[in-house]
RNA sequence: CGGGGCGUAGCUCAGCCUGGUAGAGCACACGGUUCGGGACCGUGUGGUCGGAGGUUCAAAUCCUCUCGCCCCGACCA
């Protein structure tokens, strides 16, 4: 492709609304164009990357035995009412009406449609299992789209759905999908990790996320370098913490109230009473879709709201407002504690119950209780893992120190079970003629997000450094001085030869100054660059360089194509 | 939805506080000099200052409302 015949416009400045590096670079490199919040055009260069990634994904899905189809974006409300998600999904579901005022939505995911398609065709165990996938544009009306392609409202996703007669069969498909995902991300040259994940509102029994490791990731990933344990921080567990410093002095027979004016944070009270934060019981009042509840974690720990939500069986959970806190505890916000609380469920973290004595709020303004003994002075309704795991905590499997890194969730696979098949009567007859709901799995992979993640992980101060499999073109050929006949002829010749050799080449034949073309080449970041300049051509040479190390190497003009292909093979 | 910030030329921004002829750089067009790391000189095109209402002799500037965008939080296959 000749640049002069293409549709490629690079930007010198970062767009004012681009904050993360992948958004900045993809926009400056002329690959994407924002139309509205979280809604982007893939310009020709960007679309080539997307197309390459989709080919890799198709390849691996097909190899893993999944079958491609294409479902509609616009879906009738009836299906969603049947699964119950018309009510549950909330504002993230973009709803619309047709001219007859009938309700539709723009599909954020396709469990309903696929389950409907399968239930009307498959009736026998003999026809199972099946695994169907599509690559398609989704729409989710996110509360807050951000970070360019990383969290769009409209985005391209590969989604697959499998149907089974047994947990063993589902497990087989699940493992096959896991292997396929690994191959996809391996082929893309990404550094990633697969971790255990919370199943969220999708539901199901088991779930793994594929995280591309990058500092700008929205998620925290906990991993054990010793045994390979890995989990999203929402889900991650740890071994027991080391005990906090000893309680100073004697443990009283009953909690004693002390005056602690104005000290509402653990840090403040700790300093005021000369107690370490780990000796406090942090008490948080939460409000869920069904109740108020009280969560207790050790003073130096953070509450993991996802874990708490799961323990409480809640769909939504938030910290209670000041007024609600006072209503529940009878005391001021910032002075809450579990002692004497009535009428609410109390959930305590394991580490709280391991404290033989502690301090906590007195449910009375400007007062705390010291000498509180868990189990003696209060009894939680549930004891569970509620804390956010931190770097250095013990691995729950082997005890080695855990690491915490940032990650971008590019894939997520779930064992769904019968949640949708039961609700939508997607059933089969077994050998004995009995009816059962099918057992389902679902498997998502964000196409645009993976492209953005690749840029987050592969760039330098000059621009993008594409891994070859995702590079829009493999080689950029630059005619530095196209007004010089010898240069033009040499570059034209190389261009024809590269094309004939099947190399994907973008030929920068623009009438621009050398600096502009060289800087643009760095910005758009194809793996191999071939520069034809006046001086070189006089000596029968062109210059070859790799984007990653930017080392320039003169090669004979006649060997240009062969050497470029060698260089490509090396990346 | 809560908190913060921003909407002025295709892009990045200044001007606003303290009301008085709408600006710069880049991009684009033409001419000239340049040409291996984002050149220079000259000329030129391009803006209902996000929108509506108000105050005023006069509004990009002050006030009210509204729309859009970005960041933090809550939320999130």
């Amino acid at each position: 492709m000749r640049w002069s015949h293409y549709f490629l416009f690079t930007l010198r400045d970062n767009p004012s609304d681009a904050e993360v590096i992948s958004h900045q670079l993809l926009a400056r490199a002329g690959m994407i164009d924002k139309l509205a919040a979280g809604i982007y055009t893939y310009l020709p260069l960007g679309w080539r990357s997307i197309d390459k990634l989709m080919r890799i994904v198709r390849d691996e899905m097909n190899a893993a035995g999944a079958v491609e189809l294409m479902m509609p974006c616009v879906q009738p409300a009836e299906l969603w009412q049947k699964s119950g998600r018309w009510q549950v999904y909330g504002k993230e579901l973009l709803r619309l009406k047709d001219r007859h005022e009938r309700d539709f939505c723009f599909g954020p995911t396709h469990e309903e449609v696929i389950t409907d398609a399968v239930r009307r065709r498959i009736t026998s165990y003999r026809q199972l299992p099946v695994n169907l996938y599509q690559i398609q544009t989704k729409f989710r009306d996110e509360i807050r789209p951000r970070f360019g392609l990383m969290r769009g409202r409209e985005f391209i996703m590969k989604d697959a759905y499998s149907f089974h007669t047994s947990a063993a069969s589902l497990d087989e498909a699940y493992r096959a999908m896991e292997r396929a995902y690994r191959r996809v991300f391996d082929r893309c040259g990404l550094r990633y990790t697969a971790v255990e994940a919370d199943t969220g509102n999708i539901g199901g029994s088991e779930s793994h996320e594929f995280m591309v490791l990058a500092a700008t990731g929205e998620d925290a990933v906990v991993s054990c370098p010793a045994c390979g344990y890995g989990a999203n921080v929402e889900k991650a567990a740890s071994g027991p913490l080391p005990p906090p410093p000893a309680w100073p002095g004697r443990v009283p027979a009953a909690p004693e109230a002390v005056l602690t004016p104005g000290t509402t944070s653990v840090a403040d009270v700790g300093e005021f009473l000369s107690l370490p934060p780990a000796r406090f019981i942090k008490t948080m009042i939460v409000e869920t879709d069904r109740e108020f509840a009280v969560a207790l974690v050790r003073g130096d720990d953070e509450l993991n709201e996802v874990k708490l939500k799961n323990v409480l069986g809640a769909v939504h959970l938030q910290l209670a407002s000041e007024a609600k806190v006072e209503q529940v505890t009878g005391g001021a916000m910032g002075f809450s504690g579990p002692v004497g609380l009535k009428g609410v469920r109390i959930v305590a973290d394991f580490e709280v119950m391991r404290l033989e004595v502690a301090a906590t709020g007195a449910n009375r303004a400007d007062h705390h209780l010291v000498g509180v003994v868990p189990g003696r002075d209060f009894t939680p309704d549930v004891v569970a893992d509620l804390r956010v795991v931190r770097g250095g905590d013990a691995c729950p499997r082997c005890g080695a120190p855990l690491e915490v890194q940032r990650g971008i969730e590019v894939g997520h696979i779930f064992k769904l079970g019968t949640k949708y098949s039961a609700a939508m009567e997607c059933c089969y007859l077994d050998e004995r003629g009995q009816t059962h709901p099918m057992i389902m799995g679902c498997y998502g992979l964000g196409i645009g997000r993976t492209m953005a993640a690749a840029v987050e992980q592969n760039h330098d101060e000059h621009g993008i450094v594409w891994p070859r499999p995702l590079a829009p073109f493999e080689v950029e050929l630059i005619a530095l001085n196209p007004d010089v006949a010898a240069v033009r002829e040499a570059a034209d010749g190389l261009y024809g030869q590269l094309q004939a050799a099947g190399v994907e080449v973008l030929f920068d034949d623009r009438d621009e100054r050398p600096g502009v073309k060289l800087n643009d080449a760095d910005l758009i970041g194809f793996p191999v660059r071939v520069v034809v300049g006046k001086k070189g051509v006089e000596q029968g040479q062109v210059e070859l360089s790799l984007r990653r190390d930017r080392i320039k190497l003169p090669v004979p003009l006649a060997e240009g194509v062969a050497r470029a292909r060698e260089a490509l093979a090396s990346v």
Side-chain angles (χ1 to χ4, degrees):
Chain A
M1 177 57 65
R2 287 173 183 270
W3 191 314
S4 60
H5 297 175
Y6 206 42
F7 189 75
L8 172 53
F9 304 89
T10 57
L11 268 36
R12 188 173 294 209
D13 301 305
N14 279 325
S16 58
D17 52 10
E19 198 76 14
V20 295
I21 198 79
S22 61
H23 187 191
Q24 293 176 344
L25 289 177
L26 288 169
R28 284 182 52 207
M31 298 183 74
I32 61 171
D33 188 24
K34 192 176 79 170
L35 186 62
I39 301 177
Y40 293 84
T41 295
Y42 302 95
L43 295 165
L45 201 66
W47 185 248
R48 283 186 70 102
S49 252
I50 292 283
D51 186 56
K52 286 191 167 186
L53 177 55
M54 293 194 299
R55 282 169 200 261
I56 291 171
V57 170
R58 280 200 178 94
D59 229 31
E60 296 300 337
M61 284 298 114
N62 296 342
V67 177
E68 186 170 8
L69 81 171
M70 185 69 165
M71 292 180 267
C73 301
V74 175
Q75 309 175 6
E78 287 76 24
L79 278 179
W80 287 74
Q81 284 156 352
K82 199 161 184 178
S83 74
R85 289 208 290 184
W86 186 257
Q87 287 76 25
V88 175
Y89 213 99
K91 289 189 173 174
E92 213 175 299
L93 185 64
L94 180 68
R95 295 158 212 252
L96 28 139
K97 285 182 192 292
D98 70 4
R99 62 165 65 196
H100 305 293
E101 292 288 304
R102 286 187 288 242
D103 287 315
F104 288 83
C105 65
F106 197 108
T109 172
H110 282 67
E111 281 84 3
E112 280 79 1
V113 178
I114 194 72
T115 304
D116 182 62
V118 168
R119 70 182 282 269
R120 298 199 332 258
R121 291 175 177 81
I122 292 189
T123 50
S124 161
Y125 73 96
R126 291 166 186 264
Q127 297 164 302
L128 293 171
V130 292
N131 189 353
L132 299 162
Y133 79 96
Q134 64 175 347
I135 298 178
Q136 199 226 29
T137 296
K138 309 291 187 201
F139 196 97
R140 294 184 191 174
D141 205 354
E142 296 275 356
I143 293 172
R144 180 143 99 85
R146 56 178 151 180
F147 302 154
L149 290 190
M150 301 245 279
R151 180 174 294 278
R153 291 194 291 174
E154 182 178 309
F155 59 100
I156 302 173
M157 170 166 124
K158 186 284 301 176
D159 47 328
Y161 307 88
S162 68
F163 297 80
H164 309 270
T165 58
S166 69
S169 169
L170 169 61
D171 193 62
E172 203 172 305
Y174 189 85
R175 299 301 153 206
M177 285 294 107
E178 184 180 345
R179 284 193 299 274
Y181 276 41
R182 287 185 184 280
R183 287 188 52 83
V184 167
F185 298 124
D186 283 340
R187 282 178 65 178
C188 292
L190 298 173
R191 285 182 293 110
Y192 69 96
T193 180
V195 299
E196 294 176 14
D198 185 76
T199 51
N201 289 341
I202 291 281
S205 58
E206 186 178 354
S207 136
H208 284 83
E209 287 170 339
F210 290 79
M211 298 288 209
V212 168
L213 300 174
T216 43
E218 285 189 273
D219 293 279
V221 184
V222 175
S223 60
C224 174
C227 74
Y229 170 77
N232 190 306
V233 74
E234 291 179 347
K235 163 104 177 176
S238 73
L241 294 181
W247 183 261
R250 216 168 39 81
V251 177
E256 294 169 356
V258 292
L259 189 64
T260 54
T263 56
T264 56
S265 75
V266 167
D268 289 347
V269 199
E271 197 172 324
F272 188 81
L273 295 177
S274 300
L275 283 172
R279 278 289 168 191
F280 281 84
I281 298 171
K282 195 149 63 176
T283 306
M284 278 149 294
I285 318 300
V286 299
E287 182 177 0
T288 75
D289 44 305
R290 47 171 76 176
E291 64 183 336
F292 287 106
V294 176
L296 309 177
V297 297
R298 215 170 82 169
D300 56 338
D301 273 333
E302 294 292 319
L303 172 66
N304 183 325
E305 295 188 15
V306 173
K307 289 179 179 177
L308 178 61
K309 197 161 80 174
N310 289 339
V311 168
L312 293 173
V315 178
H316 297 291
L317 179 147
Q318 60 183 26
L319 289 175
S321 65
E322 185 163 356
K324 299 283 176 60
V325 167
E326 288 172 11
Q327 180 190 323
V328 170
T329 67
M333 180 118 155
F335 298 93
S336 301
V339 180
L341 277 189
K342 291 197 179 70
V344 280
R345 279 210 286 171
I346 299 178
V347 188
D349 181 65
F350 291 122
E351 293 296 334
V352 167
M353 300 314 287
R354 292 179 67 232
L355 292 171
E356 75 284 7
V357 56
T360 191
N363 296 323
R364 186 177 156 199
D366 294 335
H367 285 76
H368 279 79
L369 294 179
V370 297
V372 173
V373 176
R376 181 192 72 180
D377 300 323
F378 68 92
T379 309
D381 298 278
V382 187
V383 180
D385 175 18
L386 292 184
R387 61 187 293 275
V388 176
V389 170
R390 288 175 304 214
D393 287 354
C395 171
R397 291 196 188 150
C398 76
L402 290 168
E403 289 179 356
V404 179
Q405 294 168 281
R406 305 299 300 179
I408 301 163
E409 179 193 346
V410 289
H412 200 162
I413 60 178
F414 295 83
K415 288 186 179 176
L416 284 179
T418 56
K419 177 173 173 178
Y420 296 92
S421 52
M424 300 186 65
E425 297 171 310
C426 179
C427 299
Y428 67 96
L429 293 176
D430 68 11
E431 302 91 316
R432 289 171 303 191
Q434 292 190 319
T435 299
H436 303 279
M438 294 180 201
I439 298 171
M440 292 174 61
C442 78
Y443 318 93
L445 191 156
I447 301 290
R449 189 182 278 187
T450 299
M451 177 168 87
V455 174
E456 291 290 334
Q457 208 173 65
N458 297 282
H459 67 271
D460 61 18
E461 69 272 31
H462 304 286
I464 303 172
V465 184
W466 282 111
R468 181 183 175 187
L470 298 184
F473 291 87
E474 297 175 309
V475 172
E476 175 155 349
L477 172 66
I478 301 178
L480 266 197
N481 332 88
D483 51 320
V484 177
V487 169
R488 197 171 56 242
E489 282 163 23
D492 277 343
L494 272 179
Y495 177 55
Q497 292 169 43
L498 284 164
Q499 281 191 310
V503 175
E504 296 173 13
V505 53
L506 179 68
F507 178 19
D508 189 349
D509 58 344
R510 292 176 300 168
D511 183 21
E512 288 287 352
R513 292 177 63 81
V516 171
K517 290 192 264 201
L518 294 169
N519 280 317
D520 274 345
D522 284 343
L523 177 61
I524 62 186
F526 307 155
V528 170
R529 187 177 86 185
V530 178
V531 177
V532 183
K534 192 167 64 178
K535 267 185 251 166
V537 164
E538 283 167 5
Q539 297 162 25
Q541 288 182 331
V542 295
E543 173 194 288
L544 186 70
S545 61
L546 296 183
R547 175 61 182 85
R548 198 166 285 278
D549 58 25
R550 299 173 84 241
I551 295 171
K552 303 169 189 171
L553 184 72
V555 302
L557 173 59
E559 295 176 21
V561 174
R563 298 293 291 275
R565 297 180 72 185
E566 277 172 35
L568 263 183
S570 76
V571 295

